[in-house]
Structure formats: structure tokens, C-alpha cells
Amino acid sequence: MAPKFKKKKRKTGRPLIKLCSRGCADRPLDYKDLEHLETYLTPQGQILSRRRTGYSAKCQRDLKRAIKRARHMALMPFVG
Amino acid sequence: MTNLYEGMYLVDNDVVREDWTKAKALVTGAVEKHGGKVITARRWDERRLAYRISGKRRATYLLSYFEIEKDALPLMTRDLELNEHVLRYLQLAVDKVPETEFELTEAEGAADFTVPAPPGDDYVEEEVAVQPEETRGSAAKERPPATAEGEAQAPASAKGEGATEAAATETVATEAVEAQTAETQTAETQTTEAQTAETQTTEGEPVAAQED
């Protein structure tokens, strides 16, 4: 007999497979690693949301911190 | 209790042009003045700033690892604040010094090492107009999977719309061709029919995707 309630399909764009146990990238997030950080910015320089990065809350905080440190040191623009 | 810190300092290019050791001493001197010990200190990069700081467009980055008393750090940062040649600083507590830092610092300390003279403040590097395909490919791989999916979906849907429009125009054209060459049945019409068949298959894909 078929189950009464069908499990709904996931509609969000978040990936189901995490890249590491913490859901973070395979290399550490450092404010000096600009090539890596730029992949998580929009063309206008905004930080991508968790929904788009697929990061866990903790890793997203690490990402935010790294980008803001790079901005403070004028390695990255605040806008544009 | 001494702690290990990583410090990144933005040094004015005017001082670097005069003498690099003098520019380096701005930071190492401040650390040693307050009883700290400099482990490594090297020129990280000279680059154009993302935004102007104190009217400067370019500056030199100095990366240093040092040990200092916890209580002495605020006094040292106060000295850096008062020094107008240090434009910005970022000091973070770290667990250990990366191994590569020792090698790079030694390379800077070699006799044949010369610090390249910083260019003028308005100097802009020539941007490469066309990126090599390899770098573009690697950049695409590095992007997070969710982003790649999200971006891939958008152009796919755009292509789908474009394909349906193109298919509509092609079918009109093939009908006209068939009317003209109904008697002869040349090989050309057969090819156009084959094309329409292909386009019909492409039409089916986006519709199936929408149903999901």
C-alpha cells in the first residue's frame, strides 16, 4: 500500500551534499586569500547569502568575517 | 603571558620609496618598544587600494608575526594610530606561524633581494581583456555548487525560450520550402525536416522541466 502522505520535494536551491563535515569549503577562509573570497561576492561586491553559498551558519560567519577583514584592509571594495 | 599575533600593516609608499628597512622598522620598532618579539616580518604585496585612505591610492602591505604581552598590545596599537605612515593595521591572535612564512622571510633577508620601487600613486595595472580559458574554468569550478546551479538554471531557461522562438521561425520556413518543393522532394527539405524534428525535441525539454 502506498504511503498516505508523499514527502514533498525540496524546492530550495541549497545543495544536499556538503563539501566538508562543517559544510564549509575545502580550504580555510582567510582574508588574504582574495581569489577564494571573490567567488562568494556578487559583481557589486555584496556577500552571497547562505542560500547561495550553501554554507552552515558557522562557516557563513567565518566567510563574513574574512570578507569584512579584507574590506577593512582595502583589499576589497565595500561597494562596486 | 605572551600571545602570538599576526599583523597586517598598510605602509605609506613614500616611506617605502626612501628605504624599505626604515618602513619595516615602523612596525618592528613599535613591537620591540613594548617588549614584544618579532618572529617574521616581510613585504606581502604592493597594490592599488580598493578605496582611498588618507588620499593614497596605492600602498605596501607588511605581514608580520610577533609575540607580545597581552597588556602591551593596546599600547602598541596606540603608537601605530599616532604614526601617520601606517595607514591601516589588522592584528589577529593566531595559534602558530605558517611554515611558508619562515621561508619567505628568509628569501627577503637574502643579500640579492631588492624591494621593487613602488610605482606612482596614479599607476593602474593593465587589465587583461580576455581571460584565458583555463582560469575561467577553474574559477567556475571553485564557485559554490548552489550558485553554479542557480546560474546554470537561468541561462538554460533563457536558452529554452530562445530555442522555442527559433524553432517557430524555422517551422514557418520549412513549411514554405515544402510548399515550393512538394513535387520534387529534394534532399534539402529532408534536412530541414530533420532540423525541425531536432527543434521539437528541444522544445519538449523546458516544458518537462516546468512540470517538475
Side-chain angles (χ1 to χ4, degrees):
Chain A
M1 191 180 161
K4 206 171 184 181
F5 298 104
K6 259 190 172 181
K7 202 175 179 183
K8 277 188 179 177
K9 264 192 175 180
R10 218 180 144 102
K11 284 187 178 177
T12 56
R14 291 179 66 182
L16 295 169
I17 303 163
K18 298 287 182 186
L19 290 171
C20 84
S21 60
R22 279 171 61 194
C24 197
D26 52 353
R27 56 173 164 169
L29 292 159
D30 186 21
Y31 72 96
K32 298 189 289 293
D33 192 356
L34 298 178
E35 279 183 17
H36 188 203
L37 293 182
E38 277 168 7
T39 58
Y40 299 104
L41 293 179
T42 64
Q44 285 77 32
Q46 293 158 313
I47 304 171
L48 293 184
S49 63
R50 266 186 75 196
R51 184 172 169 158
R52 293 191 72 188
T53 58
Y55 274 11
S56 65
K58 189 174 182 182
C59 295
Q60 185 73 13
R61 278 202 302 277
D62 290 346
L63 174 68
K64 177 193 77 176
R65 209 173 289 133
I67 291 174
K68 290 189 175 182
R69 279 173 181 166
R71 283 176 179 169
H72 171 72
M73 291 306 289
L75 294 167
M76 273 184 179
F78 282 91
V79 178
Chain B
M1 186 190 161
T2 56
N3 286 342
L4 180 64
Y5 294 96
E6 175 194 307
M8 175 80 95
Y9 304 92
L10 203 51
V11 184
D12 192 349
N13 269 351
D14 294 339
V15 187
V16 178
R17 264 187 218 103
E18 284 175 24
D19 190 8
W20 170 240
T21 51
K22 193 179 165 186
K24 211 170 169 179
L26 288 175
V27 176
T28 55
V31 174
E32 283 161 2
K33 184 184 166 189
H34 295 283
K37 183 191 166 193
V38 178
I39 298 165
T40 63
R42 68 175 178 98
R43 177 184 178 274
W44 186 68
D45 200 4
E46 194 283 327
R47 57 168 61 213
R48 189 179 170 82
L49 304 176
Y51 48 88
R52 280 191 195 185
I53 300 176
S54 307
K56 309 282 180 190
R57 290 174 195 271
R58 299 188 70 92
T60 303
Y61 288 86
L62 191 149
L63 183 65
S64 171
Y65 287 84
F66 58 93
E67 283 178 341
I68 197 167
E69 288 283 334
K70 197 179 172 185
D71 298 336
L73 192 70
L75 302 172
M76 183 203 150
T77 51
R78 187 172 178 275
D79 280 357
L80 294 172
E81 287 276 0
L82 295 173
N83 194 334
E84 60 185 13
H85 298 303
V86 180
L87 305 175
R88 284 278 163 98
Y89 61 86
L90 180 68
Q91 293 174 153
L92 309 168
V94 289
D95 297 327
K96 61 174 183 178
V97 182
E99 289 177 9
T100 52
E101 279 301 309
F102 292 109
E103 295 167 13
L104 293 165
T105 312
E106 275 180 25
E108 191 175 301
D112 57 342
F113 179 82
T114 51
V115 177
D121 209 35
D122 292 331
Y123 177 79
V124 182
E125 291 91 351
E126 286 181 11
E127 289 181 2
V128 182
V130 182
Q131 256 189 326
E133 284 184 10
E134 289 177 8
T135 55
R136 271 189 285 173
S138 63
K141 281 175 191 172
E142 282 173 9
R143 288 191 76 80
T147 323
E149 281 173 21
E151 287 183 355
Q153 282 170 3
S157 60
K159 277 179 192 171
E161 287 170 12
T164 49
E165 284 175 13
T169 53
E170 277 183 24
T171 48
V172 172
T174 48
E175 281 170 11
V177 170
E178 281 174 4
Q180 284 176 359
T181 60
E183 294 173 3
T184 55
Q185 289 289 329
T186 57
E188 288 178 5
T189 52
Q190 286 177 3
T191 55
T192 50
E193 280 174 3
Q195 284 177 0
T196 52
E198 284 175 10
T199 51
Q200 280 171 2
T201 53
T202 52
E203 276 178 1
E205 285 173 4
V207 175
Q210 282 172 3
E211 283 173 358
D212 291 339

Short mmCIF file of all heavy atoms in Angstrom, two decimals, chain A residues 4-61:
data_model
loop_
_atom_site.label_atom_id
_atom_site.label_comp_id
_atom_site.label_asym_id
_atom_site.label_seq_id
_atom_site.Cartn_x
_atom_site.Cartn_y
_atom_site.Cartn_z
N LYS A 4 0.38 7.26 2.74
CA LYS A 4 -0.73 8.22 2.67
C LYS A 4 -0.23 9.61 2.28
O LYS A 4 -0.84 10.29 1.46
CB LYS A 4 -1.41 8.28 4.04
CG LYS A 4 -2.86 8.71 3.93
CD LYS A 4 -3.55 8.56 5.27
CE LYS A 4 -5.02 8.89 5.17
NZ LYS A 4 -5.70 8.77 6.46
N PHE A 5 0.85 10.00 2.91
CA PHE A 5 1.40 11.33 2.64
C PHE A 5 2.71 11.20 1.88
O PHE A 5 3.62 10.51 2.34
CB PHE A 5 1.63 12.09 3.95
CG PHE A 5 0.37 12.31 4.71
CD1 PHE A 5 0.09 11.55 5.82
CD2 PHE A 5 -0.55 13.26 4.27
CE1 PHE A 5 -1.08 11.74 6.51
CE2 PHE A 5 -1.73 13.44 4.98
CZ PHE A 5 -2.01 12.69 6.09
N LYS A 6 2.76 11.86 0.76
CA LYS A 6 4.01 11.85 -0.02
C LYS A 6 4.94 12.92 0.51
O LYS A 6 4.47 14.02 0.85
CB LYS A 6 3.71 12.15 -1.49
CG LYS A 6 3.72 10.90 -2.35
CD LYS A 6 3.67 11.29 -3.80
CE LYS A 6 3.86 10.08 -4.69
NZ LYS A 6 3.83 10.44 -6.10
N LYS A 7 6.19 12.57 0.55
CA LYS A 7 7.16 13.56 1.01
C LYS A 7 7.36 14.63 -0.06
O LYS A 7 7.57 14.28 -1.23
CB LYS A 7 8.50 12.89 1.31
CG LYS A 7 9.36 13.69 2.25
CD LYS A 7 10.62 12.94 2.60
CE LYS A 7 11.49 13.76 3.50
NZ LYS A 7 12.75 13.10 3.80
N LYS A 8 7.22 15.88 0.34
CA LYS A 8 7.33 16.95 -0.65
C LYS A 8 8.77 17.10 -1.11
O LYS A 8 9.70 16.89 -0.34
CB LYS A 8 6.85 18.26 -0.04
CG LYS A 8 5.34 18.39 -0.09
CD LYS A 8 4.91 19.77 0.33
CE LYS A 8 3.41 19.89 0.24
NZ LYS A 8 2.95 21.20 0.70
N LYS A 9 8.89 17.49 -2.39
CA LYS A 9 10.24 17.73 -2.94
C LYS A 9 10.81 19.02 -2.39
O LYS A 9 10.07 19.99 -2.18
CB LYS A 9 10.17 17.81 -4.46
CG LYS A 9 10.49 16.49 -5.13
CD LYS A 9 10.70 16.71 -6.60
CE LYS A 9 11.14 15.43 -7.27
NZ LYS A 9 11.35 15.61 -8.70
N ARG A 10 12.11 18.99 -2.20
CA ARG A 10 12.79 20.19 -1.71
C ARG A 10 12.86 21.22 -2.82
O ARG A 10 13.30 20.92 -3.92
CB ARG A 10 14.21 19.79 -1.33
CG ARG A 10 14.77 20.45 -0.13
CD ARG A 10 16.16 19.89 0.03
NE ARG A 10 17.03 20.94 0.54
CZ ARG A 10 17.40 21.00 1.80
NH1 ARG A 10 16.98 20.11 2.65
NH2 ARG A 10 18.21 21.96 2.20
N LYS A 11 12.43 22.43 -2.53
CA LYS A 11 12.38 23.44 -3.58
C LYS A 11 13.51 24.46 -3.49
O LYS A 11 13.73 25.23 -4.40
CB LYS A 11 11.04 24.16 -3.53
CG LYS A 11 9.91 23.33 -4.11
CD LYS A 11 8.63 24.10 -4.21
CE LYS A 11 7.56 23.23 -4.84
NZ LYS A 11 6.26 23.93 -4.89
N THR A 12 14.18 24.48 -2.35
CA THR A 12 15.23 25.48 -2.19
C THR A 12 16.45 25.12 -3.04
O THR A 12 16.62 23.97 -3.42
CB THR A 12 15.67 25.58 -0.72
OG1 THR A 12 16.07 24.29 -0.31
CG2 THR A 12 14.56 26.08 0.16
N GLY A 13 17.28 26.12 -3.29
CA GLY A 13 18.46 25.90 -4.12
C GLY A 13 19.67 25.42 -3.34
O GLY A 13 20.76 25.35 -3.86
N ARG A 14 19.47 25.12 -2.07
CA ARG A 14 20.63 24.72 -1.26
C ARG A 14 21.08 23.31 -1.62
O ARG A 14 20.26 22.42 -1.83
CB ARG A 14 20.29 24.79 0.23
CG ARG A 14 20.11 26.20 0.70
CD ARG A 14 19.76 26.24 2.15
NE ARG A 14 20.86 25.76 2.98
CZ ARG A 14 20.77 25.67 4.28
NH1 ARG A 14 19.67 26.02 4.89
NH2 ARG A 14 21.79 25.24 4.98
N PRO A 15 22.39 23.09 -1.68
CA PRO A 15 22.86 21.75 -2.05
C PRO A 15 22.63 20.76 -0.92
O PRO A 15 22.69 21.11 0.25
CB PRO A 15 24.36 21.97 -2.28
CG PRO A 15 24.69 23.14 -1.45
CD PRO A 15 23.48 24.00 -1.39
N LEU A 16 22.36 19.53 -1.30
CA LEU A 16 22.11 18.50 -0.30
C LEU A 16 23.41 17.89 0.19
O LEU A 16 23.51 17.40 1.29
CB LEU A 16 21.22 17.41 -0.89
CG LEU A 16 19.81 17.90 -1.25
CD1 LEU A 16 19.09 16.85 -2.06
CD2 LEU A 16 19.03 18.24 -0.01
N ILE A 17 24.44 17.91 -0.68
CA ILE A 17 25.72 17.32 -0.29
C ILE A 17 26.65 18.44 0.18
O ILE A 17 26.91 19.40 -0.54
CB ILE A 17 26.36 16.59 -1.48
CG1 ILE A 17 25.40 15.52 -1.99
CG2 ILE A 17 27.70 15.98 -1.10
CD1 ILE A 17 25.71 15.02 -3.36
N LYS A 18 27.14 18.30 1.38
CA LYS A 18 28.05 19.30 1.92
C LYS A 18 29.47 18.99 1.45
O LYS A 18 29.83 17.84 1.27
CB LYS A 18 28.01 19.28 3.45
CG LYS A 18 26.65 19.62 4.01
CD LYS A 18 26.33 21.07 3.87
CE LYS A 18 24.99 21.39 4.49
NZ LYS A 18 24.57 22.76 4.26
N LEU A 19 30.26 20.03 1.32
CA LEU A 19 31.62 19.85 0.84
C LEU A 19 32.54 19.31 1.93
O LEU A 19 33.51 18.63 1.67
CB LEU A 19 32.17 21.17 0.31
CG LEU A 19 31.52 21.65 -0.98
CD1 LEU A 19 31.97 23.05 -1.30
CD2 LEU A 19 31.87 20.72 -2.13
N CYS A 20 32.27 19.62 3.18
CA CYS A 20 33.04 19.06 4.28
C CYS A 20 32.11 18.83 5.46
O CYS A 20 30.92 19.12 5.38
CB CYS A 20 34.22 19.96 4.66
SG CYS A 20 33.79 21.27 5.79
N SER A 21 32.64 18.29 6.52
CA SER A 21 31.78 17.94 7.65
C SER A 21 31.09 19.16 8.24
O SER A 21 29.99 19.07 8.76
CB SER A 21 32.60 17.23 8.72
OG SER A 21 33.63 18.09 9.15
N ARG A 22 31.76 20.33 8.13
CA ARG A 22 31.16 21.56 8.64
C ARG A 22 30.34 22.26 7.56
O ARG A 22 29.78 23.31 7.79
CB ARG A 22 32.24 22.51 9.13
CG ARG A 22 32.73 22.18 10.51
CD ARG A 22 33.94 23.01 10.85
NE ARG A 22 33.62 24.43 10.84
CZ ARG A 22 34.52 25.38 10.84
NH1 ARG A 22 35.79 25.09 10.80
NH2 ARG A 22 34.17 26.64 10.85
N GLY A 23 30.31 21.69 6.38
CA GLY A 23 29.58 22.34 5.30
C GLY A 23 30.36 23.47 4.69
O GLY A 23 29.83 24.30 3.97
N CYS A 24 31.65 23.51 4.96
CA CYS A 24 32.47 24.62 4.51
C CYS A 24 33.30 24.20 3.30
O CYS A 24 33.28 23.04 2.89
CB CYS A 24 33.39 25.03 5.66
SG CYS A 24 34.09 26.63 5.45
N ALA A 25 34.02 25.14 2.73
CA ALA A 25 34.84 24.84 1.56
C ALA A 25 36.03 23.97 1.94
O ALA A 25 36.33 23.80 3.13
CB ALA A 25 35.32 26.13 0.94
N ASP A 26 36.72 23.45 0.93
CA ASP A 26 37.82 22.53 1.21
C ASP A 26 39.10 23.25 1.63
O ASP A 26 40.06 22.60 2.02
CB ASP A 26 38.09 21.63 0.00
CG ASP A 26 38.26 22.44 -1.27
OD1 ASP A 26 38.03 23.66 -1.19
OD2 ASP A 26 38.62 21.87 -2.30
N ARG A 27 39.13 24.57 1.53
CA ARG A 27 40.29 25.29 2.06
C ARG A 27 39.82 26.38 3.03
O ARG A 27 38.72 26.89 2.89
CB ARG A 27 41.15 25.86 0.94
CG ARG A 27 40.45 26.79 -0.03
CD ARG A 27 41.48 27.41 -0.96
NE ARG A 27 40.85 27.99 -2.13
CZ ARG A 27 41.47 28.77 -2.98
NH1 ARG A 27 42.71 29.08 -2.79
NH2 ARG A 27 40.85 29.24 -4.03
N PRO A 28 40.66 26.72 4.00
CA PRO A 28 40.20 27.65 5.03
C PRO A 28 39.94 29.05 4.48
O PRO A 28 40.56 29.46 3.49
CB PRO A 28 41.36 27.68 6.03
CG PRO A 28 42.53 27.17 5.29
CD PRO A 28 42.02 26.23 4.27
N LEU A 29 39.03 29.73 5.13
CA LEU A 29 38.66 31.08 4.69
C LEU A 29 39.61 32.08 5.35
O LEU A 29 39.55 32.28 6.56
CB LEU A 29 37.22 31.37 5.07
CG LEU A 29 36.17 30.56 4.32
CD1 LEU A 29 34.87 30.52 5.08
CD2 LEU A 29 35.97 31.09 2.92
N ASP A 30 40.48 32.65 4.55
CA ASP A 30 41.46 33.60 5.06
C ASP A 30 41.26 34.93 4.34
O ASP A 30 40.99 34.94 3.14
CB ASP A 30 42.87 33.06 4.80
CG ASP A 30 43.93 33.93 5.44
OD1 ASP A 30 43.59 34.68 6.37
OD2 ASP A 30 45.09 33.85 5.00
N TYR A 31 41.42 36.03 5.08
CA TYR A 31 41.19 37.34 4.46
C TYR A 31 42.24 37.67 3.40
O TYR A 31 42.03 38.54 2.56
CB TYR A 31 41.12 38.44 5.53
CG TYR A 31 42.45 38.79 6.17
CD1 TYR A 31 43.20 39.85 5.71
CD2 TYR A 31 42.94 38.05 7.24
CE1 TYR A 31 44.40 40.17 6.29
CE2 TYR A 31 44.15 38.35 7.82
CZ TYR A 31 44.88 39.41 7.34
OH TYR A 31 46.08 39.73 7.91
N LYS A 32 43.37 36.98 3.42
CA LYS A 32 44.44 37.24 2.43
C LYS A 32 44.21 36.45 1.13
O LYS A 32 44.81 36.76 0.11
CB LYS A 32 45.79 36.84 3.02
CG LYS A 32 46.17 37.64 4.25
CD LYS A 32 47.57 37.40 4.69
CE LYS A 32 47.81 36.04 5.27
NZ LYS A 32 47.11 35.81 6.56
N ASP A 33 43.36 35.44 1.20
CA ASP A 33 43.10 34.60 0.02
C ASP A 33 41.98 35.25 -0.81
O ASP A 33 40.81 34.85 -0.77
CB ASP A 33 42.69 33.20 0.50
CG ASP A 33 42.69 32.20 -0.63
OD1 ASP A 33 42.93 32.60 -1.78
OD2 ASP A 33 42.44 31.01 -0.37
N LEU A 34 42.35 36.26 -1.57
CA LEU A 34 41.34 37.08 -2.25
C LEU A 34 40.66 36.33 -3.40
O LEU A 34 39.48 36.51 -3.64
CB LEU A 34 41.98 38.36 -2.79
CG LEU A 34 42.57 39.28 -1.71
CD1 LEU A 34 43.23 40.48 -2.35
CD2 LEU A 34 41.51 39.73 -0.74
N GLU A 35 41.41 35.50 -4.10
CA GLU A 35 40.82 34.75 -5.21
C GLU A 35 39.65 33.88 -4.71
O GLU A 35 38.63 33.74 -5.37
CB GLU A 35 41.87 33.84 -5.85
CG GLU A 35 42.76 34.57 -6.82
CD GLU A 35 43.74 33.62 -7.48
OE1 GLU A 35 43.53 32.41 -7.44
OE2 GLU A 35 44.73 34.13 -8.04
N HIS A 36 39.86 33.30 -3.56
CA HIS A 36 38.84 32.43 -2.98
C HIS A 36 37.62 33.24 -2.54
O HIS A 36 36.49 32.90 -2.81
CB HIS A 36 39.44 31.67 -1.79
CG HIS A 36 38.55 30.61 -1.23
ND1 HIS A 36 38.67 30.16 0.05
CD2 HIS A 36 37.52 29.94 -1.77
CE1 HIS A 36 37.76 29.24 0.26
NE2 HIS A 36 37.05 29.09 -0.83
N LEU A 37 37.89 34.36 -1.85
CA LEU A 37 36.79 35.16 -1.30
C LEU A 37 35.94 35.79 -2.40
O LEU A 37 34.74 35.95 -2.25
CB LEU A 37 37.34 36.25 -0.38
CG LEU A 37 38.01 35.80 0.92
CD1 LEU A 37 38.43 37.00 1.72
CD2 LEU A 37 37.08 34.93 1.75
N GLU A 38 36.60 36.16 -3.50
CA GLU A 38 35.85 36.83 -4.58
C GLU A 38 34.79 35.93 -5.20
O GLU A 38 33.85 36.43 -5.82
CB GLU A 38 36.83 37.32 -5.65
CG GLU A 38 37.44 38.67 -5.28
CD GLU A 38 38.60 39.06 -6.15
OE1 GLU A 38 38.87 38.36 -7.14
OE2 GLU A 38 39.25 40.07 -5.85
N THR A 39 34.94 34.63 -5.04
CA THR A 39 33.92 33.73 -5.59
C THR A 39 32.62 33.81 -4.80
O THR A 39 31.59 33.33 -5.26
CB THR A 39 34.41 32.27 -5.59
OG1 THR A 39 34.74 31.90 -4.26
CG2 THR A 39 35.62 32.09 -6.48
N TYR A 40 32.68 34.39 -3.60
CA TYR A 40 31.48 34.50 -2.77
C TYR A 40 30.91 35.90 -2.74
O TYR A 40 30.22 36.28 -1.81
CB TYR A 40 31.79 34.02 -1.34
CG TYR A 40 32.22 32.59 -1.30
CD1 TYR A 40 33.55 32.25 -1.12
CD2 TYR A 40 31.30 31.57 -1.50
CE1 TYR A 40 33.95 30.93 -1.12
CE2 TYR A 40 31.69 30.25 -1.51
CZ TYR A 40 33.01 29.94 -1.32
OH TYR A 40 33.39 28.63 -1.33
N LEU A 41 31.25 36.68 -3.75
CA LEU A 41 30.74 38.05 -3.85
C LEU A 41 29.94 38.20 -5.14
O LEU A 41 30.24 37.55 -6.15
CB LEU A 41 31.90 39.05 -3.87
CG LEU A 41 32.74 39.22 -2.62
CD1 LEU A 41 33.83 40.24 -2.89
CD2 LEU A 41 31.90 39.66 -1.45
N THR A 42 28.97 39.08 -5.10
CA THR A 42 28.26 39.44 -6.33
C THR A 42 29.14 40.41 -7.11
O THR A 42 30.11 40.94 -6.56
CB THR A 42 26.92 40.14 -6.00
OG1 THR A 42 27.22 41.36 -5.33
CG2 THR A 42 26.04 39.28 -5.12
N PRO A 43 28.84 40.67 -8.38
CA PRO A 43 29.64 41.65 -9.13
C PRO A 43 29.68 43.02 -8.47
O PRO A 43 30.62 43.78 -8.68
CB PRO A 43 28.94 41.72 -10.49
CG PRO A 43 28.24 40.42 -10.60
CD PRO A 43 27.86 40.00 -9.23
N GLN A 44 28.68 43.33 -7.65
CA GLN A 44 28.66 44.62 -6.95
C GLN A 44 29.42 44.58 -5.63
O GLN A 44 29.52 45.58 -4.95
CB GLN A 44 27.21 45.06 -6.67
CG GLN A 44 26.47 45.59 -7.88
CD GLN A 44 26.01 44.46 -8.79
OE1 GLN A 44 25.70 43.37 -8.33
NE2 GLN A 44 25.99 44.71 -10.08
N GLY A 45 29.92 43.42 -5.27
CA GLY A 45 30.72 43.31 -4.05
C GLY A 45 29.93 42.92 -2.81
O GLY A 45 30.45 43.00 -1.71
N GLN A 46 28.68 42.48 -2.99
CA GLN A 46 27.89 42.06 -1.83
C GLN A 46 28.20 40.59 -1.52
O GLN A 46 28.47 39.80 -2.43
CB GLN A 46 26.39 42.20 -2.13
CG GLN A 46 25.95 43.63 -2.28
CD GLN A 46 24.66 43.74 -3.06
OE1 GLN A 46 24.51 43.13 -4.10
NE2 GLN A 46 23.75 44.54 -2.56
N ILE A 47 28.10 40.26 -0.24
CA ILE A 47 28.35 38.88 0.17
C ILE A 47 27.14 38.02 -0.21
O ILE A 47 26.00 38.42 0.02
CB ILE A 47 28.60 38.78 1.69
CG1 ILE A 47 29.74 39.71 2.09
CG2 ILE A 47 28.89 37.36 2.11
CD1 ILE A 47 29.92 39.85 3.58
N LEU A 48 27.40 36.86 -0.79
CA LEU A 48 26.30 35.96 -1.16
C LEU A 48 25.63 35.42 0.10
O LEU A 48 26.28 35.23 1.13
CB LEU A 48 26.82 34.80 -2.00
CG LEU A 48 27.37 35.10 -3.38
CD1 LEU A 48 27.75 33.81 -4.07
CD2 LEU A 48 26.36 35.85 -4.23
N SER A 49 24.34 35.16 -0.03
CA SER A 49 23.59 34.66 1.12
C SER A 49 23.91 33.19 1.38
O SER A 49 24.51 32.51 0.54
CB SER A 49 22.10 34.81 0.85
OG SER A 49 21.75 34.01 -0.25
N ARG A 50 23.49 32.73 2.53
CA ARG A 50 23.71 31.32 2.89
C ARG A 50 23.02 30.39 1.90
O ARG A 50 23.48 29.31 1.62
CB ARG A 50 23.12 31.05 4.27
CG ARG A 50 24.11 31.18 5.38
CD ARG A 50 23.46 30.76 6.67
NE ARG A 50 23.33 29.31 6.75
CZ ARG A 50 22.55 28.67 7.60
NH1 ARG A 50 21.82 29.35 8.44
NH2 ARG A 50 22.49 27.37 7.63
N ARG A 51 21.91 30.88 1.41
CA ARG A 51 21.15 30.07 0.46
C ARG A 51 21.98 29.81 -0.81
O ARG A 51 21.88 28.76 -1.41
CB ARG A 51 19.87 30.82 0.11
CG ARG A 51 18.96 30.04 -0.79
CD ARG A 51 17.64 30.74 -0.92
NE ARG A 51 16.88 30.12 -1.99
CZ ARG A 51 15.57 30.19 -2.11
NH1 ARG A 51 14.88 30.85 -1.21
NH2 ARG A 51 14.96 29.62 -3.11
N ARG A 52 22.77 30.80 -1.19
CA ARG A 52 23.56 30.67 -2.43
C ARG A 52 24.92 30.02 -2.18
O ARG A 52 25.44 29.33 -3.04
CB ARG A 52 23.73 32.04 -3.09
CG ARG A 52 22.40 32.57 -3.61
CD ARG A 52 22.60 33.78 -4.47
NE ARG A 52 23.18 33.42 -5.75
CZ ARG A 52 23.59 34.31 -6.63
NH1 ARG A 52 23.49 35.59 -6.38
NH2 ARG A 52 24.11 33.92 -7.78
N THR A 53 25.50 30.27 -1.02
CA THR A 53 26.80 29.64 -0.75
C THR A 53 26.64 28.19 -0.30
O THR A 53 27.54 27.38 -0.50
CB THR A 53 27.57 30.39 0.34
OG1 THR A 53 26.79 30.43 1.52
CG2 THR A 53 27.90 31.81 -0.09
N GLY A 54 25.50 27.88 0.33
CA GLY A 54 25.28 26.54 0.84
C GLY A 54 26.04 26.26 2.11
O GLY A 54 26.19 25.11 2.52
N TYR A 55 26.54 27.31 2.76
CA TYR A 55 27.36 27.15 3.96
C TYR A 55 26.49 26.97 5.21
O TYR A 55 25.36 27.44 5.27
CB TYR A 55 28.24 28.39 4.14
CG TYR A 55 29.54 28.34 3.39
CD1 TYR A 55 29.79 27.37 2.44
CD2 TYR A 55 30.53 29.28 3.64
CE1 TYR A 55 30.98 27.33 1.76
CE2 TYR A 55 31.73 29.25 2.97
CZ TYR A 55 31.95 28.26 2.03
OH TYR A 55 33.13 28.23 1.37
N SER A 56 27.10 26.33 6.20
CA SER A 56 26.45 26.26 7.51
C SER A 56 26.54 27.63 8.15
O SER A 56 27.30 28.49 7.70
CB SER A 56 27.16 25.22 8.37
OG SER A 56 28.47 25.64 8.63
N ALA A 57 25.79 27.82 9.23
CA ALA A 57 25.77 29.13 9.88
C ALA A 57 27.17 29.53 10.34
O ALA A 57 27.59 30.68 10.21
CB ALA A 57 24.81 29.10 11.06
N LYS A 58 27.89 28.55 10.86
CA LYS A 58 29.23 28.84 11.39
C LYS A 58 30.19 29.23 10.26
O LYS A 58 30.95 30.19 10.40
CB LYS A 58 29.75 27.60 12.12
CG LYS A 58 31.02 27.85 12.88
CD LYS A 58 31.41 26.65 13.70
CE LYS A 58 32.66 26.93 14.49
NZ LYS A 58 33.08 25.77 15.27
N CYS A 59 30.13 28.48 9.17
CA CYS A 59 31.03 28.78 8.04
C CYS A 59 30.67 30.10 7.39
O CYS A 59 31.54 30.83 6.92
CB CYS A 59 30.97 27.65 7.02
SG CYS A 59 31.61 26.12 7.67
N GLN A 60 29.38 30.41 7.37
CA GLN A 60 28.96 31.68 6.78
C GLN A 60 29.49 32.84 7.63
O GLN A 60 29.88 33.87 7.10
CB GLN A 60 27.43 31.74 6.69
CG GLN A 60 26.89 32.97 5.99
CD GLN A 60 27.08 32.96 4.49
OE1 GLN A 60 27.41 31.94 3.91
NE2 GLN A 60 26.88 34.08 3.85
N ARG A 61 29.54 32.65 8.93
CA ARG A 61 30.11 33.68 9.82
C ARG A 61 31.59 33.84 9.54
O ARG A 61 32.11 34.96 9.51
CB ARG A 61 29.90 33.30 11.28
CG ARG A 61 28.55 33.64 11.83
CD ARG A 61 28.59 33.74 13.35
NE ARG A 61 29.06 32.51 14.00
CZ ARG A 61 28.29 31.46 14.26
NH1 ARG A 61 27.02 31.46 13.91
NH2 ARG A 61 28.79 30.40 14.87
#
